[in-house]
Amino acid sequence: MSSGTADKVKGNVKEAAGKVTGDQRLESEGKADQVKGDAKKATDNVTEAAKGVRDSVNKG
């Protein structure tokens, strides 16, 4: 599991726990963790795309 996915899962759990317990701080932390996970996933996708372009150029 990538760190982005782990952050998303952790964020979902925190957000749900915050909603159930009425803890707005925990709910907000969960949402922030989810955003962090999305950012990590996007960075990983860009990195992988760049590697693909590099590999294509090197083969040509």
Side-chain angles (χ1 to χ4, degrees):
M1 180 181 325
S2 74
S3 62
T5 302
D7 285 332
K8 290 276 293 182
V9 170
K10 180 174 71 171
N12 282 329
V13 170
K14 279 185 176 181
E15 182 181 3
K19 283 181 181 179
V20 168
T21 62
D23 186 339
Q24 291 180 340
R25 181 174 172 226
L26 186 60
E27 186 176 346
S28 294
E29 285 179 15
K31 289 178 182 179
D33 285 343
Q34 291 176 57
V35 170
K36 185 170 69 170
D38 286 337
K40 284 182 182 179
K41 281 181 161 183
T43 301
D44 289 346
N45 289 340
V46 169
T47 302
E48 288 301 315
K51 285 179 184 176
V53 169
R54 182 193 67 208
D55 292 345
S56 294
V57 169
N58 288 338
K59 288 180 183 178

